[in-house]
Amino acid sequence: MNELLETERAYVEELLCVLEGYAAEMDNPAMAHLIPSTLLAKKDVLFGNMPEIYQFHKRTFLKELEAYTDCPELVGRCFLERMNDLQIYEAYCQNKPRSESLWRQCSDCAFFQECQKKLEHKLGLDSYLLKPVQRITKYQLLLKELLKYSRGCDGCDDLQAALSSILGILKAVNDSMHLIAITGYEGNLSELGRLLMQGSFSVWTEHKKGHAKVKDLARFKPMQRHLFLHEKALLFCKRREENGEGYEKAPSYSFKHSLSMSAVGITENAKGDNKKFEIWCNSREEVFIVQVSDTKLKHCFEGGTSTRAYFGLTFNALSSPLASKMMELFSATALPLCHHAVMLRSHIQPTLVTQCHRQFVASICNYATFYIMMLLNA
């Protein structure tokens, strides 16, 4: 608990230092001659919603955490009560690629050098702009430590729930950063409903032409596609690596195809292979065969878990008892592995730990559920 409070106080001071020592100085007439043209009127891009984050932690979260100094086992309640507020980190992380790109364009300018000199900082502004990303990932580590020493205490369940919620925020942050990297989609992504799962897969396609079945040219060599499963649609995208450094190396996704979830059917164990499943529509006139690599399976089921993996095989995923059980399994097995994914930009690796029904009613609105597990690239 002492570490949580001490690091929280230090974090608040660091944010204040950045806002006063850099952001405020951008409005200082005496410093105007040092600001390059590329930086003019770009304060919101460079700092994102850091002022909002600072105000929340200074005025609210730090004080509420300090109220649990004498009963650290109950601090999970504080996190649960403020979980909606902590979602402000999603906007900050979404803006981070733009912020870092701007920083790289003018990192050597006299303005930043003068600000750093006044603050007597050994590290540049870019290190401090990373602090919010590091902080939101740090909370789950601190909660795990508190949970370790609070077994059997009154607040144990709240600590566990807080940990799961923080991990959920990290996943949402990571998902959102992938979504904003999609290019070429002409519609409005927000109209597709909530993003349920996303990950990279090997994909083959088959089409019916008259009475014959025609396979694409990539019959023996599958296409590599990044799939984004929303409530209302499934998007197929091609991942493209970008040149550059840091966040500028983050991949982008070229939109290729979409399927409406109201018309989708799924067949598991495609071609007799339990690593593959089929996604199809229009009476199987168009079939996508999806497969995960053996390497990913090895990581997914390390530690004695079943060697069989099943993907995307549940319908009515938002309401069915089966889906609820699946999400319970996800929280207990895969989610704890995602804590560094946002900060380290680790690769997404899809897993699923349960087999679902094979027979479905075609008239029911269907949702396929893929689970994305974020692993360190250690």
Side-chain angles (χ1 to χ4, degrees):
M1 186 64 187
N2 287 335
E3 182 181 0
L4 173 60
L5 292 175
E6 289 173 4
T7 55
E8 186 71 14
R9 295 185 186 108
Y11 175 56
V12 170
E13 288 299 319
E14 287 170 339
L15 293 182
L16 178 61
C17 191
V18 170
L19 293 174
E20 290 185 343
Y22 286 97
E25 288 297 292
M26 291 181 69
D27 298 323
N28 183 356
M31 298 284 283
H33 67 287
L34 299 177
I35 300 178
S37 59
T38 54
L39 194 57
L40 292 175
K42 295 290 181 63
K43 185 164 65 173
D44 290 344
V45 174
L46 186 62
F47 299 98
N49 65 335
M50 183 182 284
E52 180 185 7
I53 292 175
Y54 168 73
Q55 293 298 337
F56 164 66
H57 285 270
K58 174 65 176 178
R59 296 179 178 178
T60 305
F61 201 51
L62 175 57
K63 293 179 180 179
E64 292 182 355
L65 288 175
E66 289 175 334
Y68 289 91
T69 301
D70 297 327
C71 48
E73 71 279 2
L74 302 180
V75 76
R77 298 174 184 175
C78 182
F79 280 89
L80 291 175
E81 290 170 357
R82 292 299 172 183
M83 204 56 64
N84 287 338
D85 296 295
L86 288 170
Q87 291 178 4
I88 58 177
Y89 280 90
E90 183 172 340
Y92 187 85
C93 292
Q94 284 179 340
N95 181 68
K96 196 67 176 71
R98 297 174 64 218
S99 172
E100 185 161 322
S101 178
L102 178 60
W103 160 257
R104 291 187 181 282
Q105 293 177 47
C106 47
S107 59
D108 294 331
C109 73
F111 172 76
F112 288 135
Q113 294 176 359
E114 182 64 20
C115 290
Q116 184 175 345
K117 182 180 179 181
K118 287 182 178 180
L119 293 169
E120 298 182 349
H121 283 176
K122 293 182 179 180
L123 300 176
L125 174 61
D126 56 329
S127 297
Y128 290 91
L129 292 176
L130 191 60
K131 293 292 182 179
V133 182
Q134 294 172 330
R135 189 57 183 171
I136 192 64
T137 61
K138 178 71 172 178
Y139 283 135
Q140 59 86 31
L141 295 175
L142 295 170
L143 285 170
K144 280 183 178 178
E145 285 299 306
L146 286 167
L147 190 60
K148 183 190 302 183
Y149 297 104
S150 302
R151 298 294 183 186
C153 297
D154 290 341
C156 183
D157 290 343
D158 287 338
L159 283 171
Q160 184 62 62
L163 175 59
S164 297
S165 296
I166 285 291
L167 292 173
I169 288 178
L170 291 178
K171 180 186 178 300
V173 167
N174 188 77
D175 285 347
S176 68
M177 294 183 73
H178 284 267
L179 277 178
I180 63 175
I182 295 177
T183 61
Y185 182 74
E186 297 182 355
N188 187 344
L189 289 174
S190 63
E191 295 178 354
L192 302 182
R194 185 165 57 93
L195 177 66
L196 302 176
M197 305 288 174
Q198 52 97 4
S200 295
F201 298 86
S202 297
V203 178
W204 292 261
T205 61
E206 294 180 354
H207 303 275
K208 278 186 178 179
K209 193 171 184 180
H211 295 290
K213 182 185 290 184
V214 180
K215 290 190 176 182
D216 281 358
L217 294 177
R219 178 176 181 180
F220 300 108
K221 185 178 180 180
M223 298 176 292
Q224 297 303 312
R225 291 289 183 261
H226 201 92
L227 273 55
F228 293 86
L229 175 66
H230 294 260
E231 292 173 327
K232 298 180 181 179
L234 175 64
L235 304 187
F236 291 77
C237 299
K238 183 176 181 179
R239 179 185 173 115
R240 299 185 184 280
E241 297 293 342
E242 302 294 337
N243 296 322
E245 299 181 33
Y247 279 88
E248 292 183 351
K249 288 186 67 176
S252 63
Y253 303 96
S254 297
F255 172 74
K256 295 298 181 182
H257 191 68
S258 67
L259 297 175
S260 172
M261 294 311 298
S262 62
V264 163
I266 296 182
T267 304
E268 57 176 306
N269 295 342
K271 311 300 181 184
D273 189 338
N274 62 13
K275 301 181 186 69
K276 296 180 181 178
F277 62 96
E278 292 180 341
I279 303 174
W280 46 269
C281 60
N282 300 326
S283 301
R284 297 186 64 86
E285 290 183 3
E286 190 173 30
V287 179
F288 297 86
I289 302 172
V290 183
Q291 179 184 25
V292 67
S293 70
D294 290 336
T295 301
K296 292 176 181 177
L297 287 176
K298 179 181 178 182
H299 286 295
C300 297
F301 297 97
E302 191 175 45
T305 311
S306 170
T307 57
R308 300 188 67 186
Y310 297 90
F311 294 81
L313 304 173
T314 186
F315 287 96
N316 294 327
L318 302 180
S319 60
S320 71
L322 178 58
S324 298
K325 181 61 178 177
M326 289 169 65
M327 294 310 297
E328 179 183 334
L329 291 171
F330 296 157
S331 298
T333 56
L335 279 175
L337 297 174
C338 75
H339 58 277
H340 287 299
V342 176
M343 182 171 67
L344 298 181
R345 305 289 296 167
S346 60
H347 295 294
I348 302 301
Q349 299 194 16
T351 71
L352 196 62
V353 292
T354 184
Q355 180 179 9
C356 308
H357 298 64
R358 299 189 180 191
Q359 302 298 324
F360 305 98
V361 180
S363 60
I364 298 177
C365 180
N366 300 324
Y367 297 98
T369 300
F370 306 98
Y371 187 73
I372 305 304
M373 180 171 72
M374 292 170 281
L375 296 170
L376 281 173
N377 219 11

